[in-house]
Amino acid sequence: MSSTTTVTARGATSGAPGGGRSTGAAPGAAMRRTGEWARRAPLLPALVLTVIVTQLPFVVTIVTSFISWNAYYPDRRHFAGLENFQTVVSDPDARKAILVSVTLTLSVVLVSLLLGLVSALLLDRKFLGRGIVRTLMITPFLVVPVAAALLWKHALYNPEYGLFDGLLKLVLGSNAPQVDWIGQYPFASVMFAIVWQWTPFMMLILLAGLQSRPLDVVEAARIDGASSWQIFRHMTLPHLRSYIELAGLLGTIYVVQNFDHVFTITSGGLGTANLPYYIYQTFYTAHDYGLASAAGVIVVVLTIAVATVALRTVFSLFKEENR
């Protein structure tokens, strides 16, 4: 009789609506959700501002890219479908701008990577004043791009009072030629000005990779008789591969959008007009908003493709660090 009563009481307790266990779990879950929202709420204004500042203009750009809209002919505005994209692809100036963008980006990234690797290897060594030298090496990357382009255009490239022509006169004397660097070498003038500013960025990433090497393995290789070149080729370079890929991809994302140096140094002339400058001319000179938007969408899509590869490289680096 007593056992039957005990079983019945247990069954009643467990079968009662809102039993002890579920009643305690519901308020706990609600409190957790409230705590999560309380932590996220301060971030909502920043998120809303980011969406308004970045995503809404991009949505407007996408919509405009499908519209034939020229400010000189406001009555002819209409939906054009993919016509603007076809015009960008078939336009000889656009194709040339795309080719210049690709060539300029590859040249800047490769030269910056090479110089950054050499600088990182030198700064990884111990010497007096290494901290000061590292700080000075980073300085070009902190200069405003327009100011850096003006510096190269007037202080270095100017044929009358520029530093390069002054050095030629100092070495060769009065027989030194007066070289118009921008006029004779327009592409190289833009490229080296961008390389000067992006080499420190590459150096920072590669220096971080060098300092993450297992030094005990390097010392063991030296004890075993490995030369410096063998250590660099078979140990340092494979270790830096992911860092080199990351630096190259991030550099590509930013350099492909470069506008300041092209606009400031050559104003897009002498065959240096890249895709961002083509978009600028189409929008502000031709006032063809639909065509400029289509070219902008193409640049964004290509940048997103490169950024996706860069993010995968970053994630692979994190996985290797956590092993």
Side-chain angles (χ1 to χ4, degrees), residues 25-38:
M31 290 182 64
R32 281 196 302 271
R33 286 196 296 270
T34 304
E36 291 174 358
W37 275 108

Side-chain angles (χ1 to χ4, degrees), residues 96-141:
K96 185 177 180 181
I98 293 173
L99 180 61
V100 170
S101 295
V102 172
T103 307
L104 182 64
T105 303
L106 289 178
S107 303
V108 170
V109 170
L110 290 177
V111 176
S112 299
L113 272 175
L114 181 60
L115 294 178
L117 178 60
V118 174
S119 302
L121 289 171
L122 293 175
L123 292 179
D124 191 47
R125 299 173 178 270
K126 292 182 179 180
F127 57 88
L128 184 63
R130 183 174 65 169
I132 298 176
V133 174
R134 285 182 177 180
T135 304
L136 293 175
M137 290 291 291
I138 298 171
T139 304
F141 184 65

